[in-house]
Amino acid sequence: MMLPMPFRTIIEPFRIHSVEPLRMTTRADREQAIRAAGFNLFALRSEDVLIDLLTDSGTGAMSRDQWAGIQHGDESYAGSPSWFRFLDSVQELFPFKHIIPTHQGRAAEKILFTAVAGPGKVVPNNTHFDTTRANVEFTGAEAVDLVAPESSEPSVEQPFGGNMDVGGLDACLRSHPGSVPVVFVTVTNNSHGGQPVSLANLRDVREVCDGHGVPLFLDACRFAENAWFIHEREPGQQDREVRDIVREMASLADGMTMSAKKDGLANIGGWLAMNDDELATSCRNLLILTEGFPTYGGLAGRDLEAIAQGLEEVVQHDYLRYRIRSTGYLGEALDRLGVPVVQPAGGHAVYIDAGRMLPHIPPLHYPGQALAIALYETGGIRSCEVGTVMFGRQPDGSERPAERDLVRLAIPRRTYTQSHMDYVVEVCAEVWARVGELPGYSIIEEPPMLRHFTARFEPVSSTREAATPAPEG
Ligand code: F0G
């Protein structure tokens, strides 16, 4: 049921129950901290961060009822009541036959791709998240991104900019007969601006998969945010409950991977689900090797309780209205400043187009990394590069610029207030005013995979010297 909304201000639908102090720092403190961290924001101590927008994963605030659930956690090794509560609330939204709990999303990915992928196999996705791609490639398979072509222009507003390229998927399945073990759709499309996928697109993808006899899985980390966008933007969906939209999304798929650290509203957890009995057996056998017994996976009973309660809260309309509005608020404020942001804002994050904001820095000097470092040094904001640092290193060892150099400001759930966001906007304005002075960076040390987590950087003085003047205002 829709309640009338007589006031413009959409308030946080909660009061604050316990608080965590933030440690104030100076610019000098931060310059020293980031240098010591090899200019990698992942290597900072989080105490040295003021507003942590590195990720929305596992960083949200739990509710009173989730904390109460933690007290109900039953730590029996097998068949705990906490497991059954978890199972019921997962299947209430995602009625798949087999639910396999894992300690987080990537564990579900690792198990699934170990079971179905391997050399010679191809896995299409609208856009793979970095751990998903890494887990596909680790088996020797190829990960192919097939985002709808109209979504690739970041400045053009798309209501469902995360959609899959249905024609491209059909062509991919035709050219790799028998080699595609599963098709994935990521909702929302995190690595493509956090943009949602429509029900219409999911139905079209389903039809193509059926035509080729290939199963469809959802990477459903942000399923509730995606369903809210469907509720708000897709014709004919406005009177539906979000939980019904979620069930319809699930009904179009044969299985899913999930990180409960996002729309599970929990600090840890995830699951793998499917209808196929044989696949479930091989996945459970792998689960036992690394995660644990099938009624707890990699989780404590108390974690299962927190997730079960989180799933009830995350589909509530008051929560989702506030959640999506708070992300839009930040995106609109940055847009008003003239900062190039992916429009409309994603569900969980605002993405700044650093390639366009810092055109004086060439892609292989990492404009996204340069912007992320500047936001930290200026105001203690930790963000995340989603661009050439994250995606530039190819499986054959070569390096090439990512399609886009974005910086993600991910908003933890129920954690920061509007005044925190106003501060973020002010810091962005300050960086924007002297953007032409920012140096590029080079990598001086990197691991063979997922380099963005541990690479070390150094400023490139030539980019600072070659810098163009800052824009007016
Ligand atoms: N799939 C998507 C779309 C994700 O965004 C993530 C995690 C995962 C899978 C893996 O889940 O972290 O529980 O193992 N995304 C986080 C982020 C880390 O910051 O976007 P996980």
Side-chain angles (χ1 to χ4, degrees), residues 54-57 104-107 109 129-132 186 188 190 219 221-222 258-262 269 348 408:
L54 182 66
T55 177
D56 63 319
S57 180
Q104 61 184 86
R106 67 198 69 184
E109 294 165 0
F129 180 66
D130 56 354
T131 61
T132 325
T186 303
T188 55
N190 184 10
D219 176 341
C221 297
R222 300 176 180 85
M258 175 69 190
S259 166
K261 300 171 75 170
K262 286 83 166 174
H348 67 298
R408 183 181 77 168

Side-chain angles (χ1 to χ4, degrees), residues 7 34 44 66 150 184 212 222 282 293 361 409 412 416 437 440 451:
F7 297 107
I34 192 72
L44 288 170
Q66 285 179 291
E150 62 273 15
F184 256 84
H212 293 270
R222 300 176 180 85
S282 50
F293 189 72
I361 299 182
L409 305 174
Y416 292 113
E437 298 164 24
R451 65 177 179 171

Side-chain angles (χ1 to χ4, degrees), residues 247-463:
R247 280 193 209 104
E248 182 171 352
M249 288 161 59
S251 74
L252 292 165
D254 301 290
M256 67 190 290
T257 53
M258 175 69 190
S259 166
K261 300 171 75 170
K262 286 83 166 174
D263 276 350
L265 296 181
N267 302 121
I268 197 72
W271 67 86
L272 169 62
M274 74 251 329
N275 289 325
D276 186 306
D277 297 334
E278 220 174 294
L279 177 61
T281 302
S282 50
C283 289
R284 282 207 181 92
N285 289 337
L286 290 166
L287 181 87
I288 292 171
L289 284 181
T290 56
E291 294 285 293
F293 189 72
T295 64
Y296 70 86
L299 296 167
R302 65 181 82 98
D303 301 325
L304 295 167
E305 293 277 353
I307 297 166
Q309 179 60 30
L311 292 176
E312 284 176 28
E313 296 173 11
V314 79
V315 291
Q316 289 174 10
H317 287 205
D318 285 345
Y319 162 72
L320 283 167
R321 182 180 295 110
Y322 137 79
R323 166 72 178 157
I324 299 301
R325 181 62 209 133
S326 58
T327 310
Y329 177 86
L330 177 60
E332 286 163 25
L334 295 182
D335 187 50
R336 276 197 298 276
L337 289 177
V339 172
V341 285
V342 177
Q343 287 285 12
H348 67 298
V350 172
Y351 292 73
I352 301 178
D353 191 335
R356 283 171 57 209
M357 187 171 171
L358 291 76
H360 63 288
I361 299 182
L364 295 183
H365 284 161
Y366 315 122
Q369 190 67 17
L371 176 60
I373 291 166
L375 291 173
Y376 176 70
E377 288 178 340
T378 307
I381 297 164
R382 179 154 68 168
S383 58
C384 184
E385 193 261 13
V386 183
T388 303
V389 174
M390 193 179 272
F391 301 119
R393 185 65 70 199
Q394 306 305 305
D396 68 4
S398 64
E399 188 181 33
R400 63 167 186 251
E403 201 185 308
R404 297 193 285 180
D405 279 297
L406 302 178
V407 167
R408 183 181 77 168
L409 305 174
I411 322 279
R413 293 170 181 75
R414 308 189 290 204
T415 302
Y416 292 113
T417 64
Q418 188 167 331
S419 69
H420 289 122
M421 290 303 124
D422 290 338
Y423 171 84
V424 171
V425 173
E426 217 182 311
V427 172
C428 288
E430 168 69 20
V431 170
W432 183 222
R434 52 176 191 84
V435 72
E437 298 164 24
L438 302 181
Y441 286 80
S442 57
I443 292 181
I444 52 170
E445 207 181 293
E446 66 178 286
M449 292 181 89
L450 297 174
R451 65 177 179 171
H452 52 288
F453 289 128
T454 53
R456 294 179 72 82
F457 300 83
E458 223 171 51
V460 178
S461 51
S462 60
T463 48

